[in-house]
Amino acid sequence: MTHQQRRTVALPLAMLVGAVFHGFFSRLSFLPPYLIFAMLFVTYCRVSAREVRFRPFHWVLLAVQMSLGVGLYLALCRVNPLLAQGAMMCSFVPTAMAATTIGGMLGADVATMASFCLMSNMGVAVTAPLLFAAVGANPELSFLQSVGIILWKVVPLLILPFAGAVALERFAPRWHKAVRDRQIVSFWIWAASLTVVLGRTVEFLLAQPKENYSLEVLLALVALAVCLSQFALGRYIGRRFGDTVAGGQSIGQKNTVLAIWMAQTWFDPLSSVAPAAYVIWQNFVNSWQLLKYDGGSSAGLEREKR
């Protein structure tokens, strides 16, 4: 089995292991913030600060990411607050750093995707405290108190890895190059993160009363609709800017580990079913794209890229 084939099956296997051994992995629920930090740090080392270039393409993608998250919440909050929270977390959260790996495997411009991943994470770090406080993430606290608490947890998690990568490049370039040359590590950290958060989610779902089952199914279906819509919209935008694959991966492939952790930390934990289901849907999409690419359609995908 080649390295690429192992990566193709790794994510579904990670989810399966987390679901089957949920009792064990749910006890490791303290790990995701540290794994997210490590994954971001390794990936940021891939991009030199001098190489980051923000283009109109990136600003359009960021505007779509932010507006979709807010728009979905406003559209669903009067129908069901849990559906609104779940849909928002499937859209508002930043692009997965592993999207650069998947996008690169599909022929996307890696530098373009890496720059947007950085922008996407910074955008969420700045806006998440305000948005989460505004929608009442913790009704027992005032708006300013909520902003402060969320700011304290989110900003270091999303920004300090980049600061650390820049400092490593500046003061220890040899170590920076060593990390930069081992980017596959971030992929396996992401797989480990998926195992842990899926274990916690399955453990939580098994403890739910039966009357919540229909709502859980609705959350999963909402996640499916959001996933397919975002990949399609991203590819449409990417086609307009000359990189269909980069557009689709940037909007469609989300940092679901962060989304699940945020939902379980600041909203009704049941809303985390949506981003947990999104993990499955987006990896079905990615697996299909990789199989299509490996199956002889690389020329067609390359034409899409151009």
Side-chain angles (χ1 to χ4, degrees):
M1 184 179 289
T2 66
H3 290 299
Q4 184 164 318
Q5 289 172 329
R6 283 198 290 269
R7 289 195 292 266
T8 302
V9 301
L11 299 182
L13 182 61
M15 292 187 289
L16 180 63
V17 170
V20 173
F21 300 102
H22 55 86
F24 171 76
F25 287 106
S26 65
R27 292 195 290 271
L28 303 178
S29 58
F30 63 91
L31 285 177
Y34 302 101
L35 294 173
I36 293 168
F37 185 99
M39 178 174 60
L40 293 176
F41 172 76
V42 172
T43 309
Y44 283 148
C45 285
R46 180 178 187 173
V47 185
S48 171
R50 296 186 297 271
E51 298 173 352
V52 175
R53 296 289 185 273
F54 296 137
R55 302 189 285 111
F57 182 32
H58 297 125
W59 292 106
V60 171
L61 291 175
L62 183 65
V64 170
Q65 173 191 326
M66 297 295 173
S67 59
L68 273 179
V70 175
L72 286 170
Y73 180 85
L74 293 176
L76 293 173
C77 64
R78 293 188 178 183
V79 177
N80 187 299
L82 277 175
L83 291 179
Q85 292 171 6
M88 179 177 69
M89 296 313 299
C90 289
S91 184
F92 173 75
V93 292
T95 303
M97 299 305 291
T100 58
T101 301
I102 301 296
M105 292 163 64
L106 293 172
D109 186 274
V110 173
T112 295
M113 291 201 62
S115 294
F116 179 70
C117 285
L118 174 59
M119 175 187 279
S120 180
N121 278 276
M122 298 301 134
V124 170
V126 171
T127 57
L130 296 173
L131 178 60
F132 291 179
V135 301
N138 191 336
E140 297 179 357
L141 299 175
S142 68
F143 176 78
L144 289 179
Q145 287 174 322
S146 294
V147 169
I149 291 173
I150 299 169
L151 195 71
W152 178 252
K153 290 188 176 183
V154 172
V155 171
L157 183 65
L158 297 182
I159 292 182
L160 286 185
F162 179 67
V166 172
L168 192 68
E169 182 183 22
R170 173 67 177 83
F171 299 107
R174 185 174 299 177
W175 284 99
H176 181 272
K177 184 179 184 302
V179 177
R180 182 172 184 167
D181 292 342
R182 292 165 176 81
Q183 284 300 300
I184 192 60
V185 172
S186 67
F187 182 87
W188 296 113
I189 294 174
W190 188 38
S193 303
L194 281 177
T195 303
V196 175
V197 297
L198 258 296
R200 181 181 179 185
T201 301
V202 170
E203 185 80 1
F204 174 78
L205 291 178
L206 291 177
Q208 293 299 302
K210 292 183 178 180
E211 53 265 27
N212 283 342
Y213 288 172
S214 59
L215 182 57
E216 292 165 6
V217 171
L218 280 176
L219 283 163
L221 291 176
V222 165
L224 175 60
V226 173
C227 179
L228 296 178
S229 299
Q230 289 187 145
F231 270 102
L233 179 59
R235 289 175 66 84
Y236 173 79
I237 295 170
R239 191 175 300 115
R240 296 286 179 173
F241 286 89
D243 199 333
T244 303
V245 175
Q249 297 305 123
S250 295
I251 294 295
Q253 188 170 343
K254 296 296 185 178
N255 188 338
T256 45
V257 174
L258 180 64
I260 295 170
W261 175 72
M262 283 181 163
Q264 293 175 343
T265 302
W266 286 295
F267 297 109
D268 189 314
L270 189 58
S271 67
S272 66
V273 171
Y278 198 100
V279 176
I280 299 171
W281 306 137
Q282 77 172 6
N283 283 297
F284 274 137
V285 173
N286 283 335
S287 296
W288 176 80
Q289 290 183 115
L290 289 169
L291 287 172
K292 182 180 177 183
Y293 191 89
D294 292 340
S297 298
S298 57
L301 285 171
E302 182 65 23
R303 285 195 298 271
E304 286 184 347
K305 173 181 172 293
R306 293 194 294 267

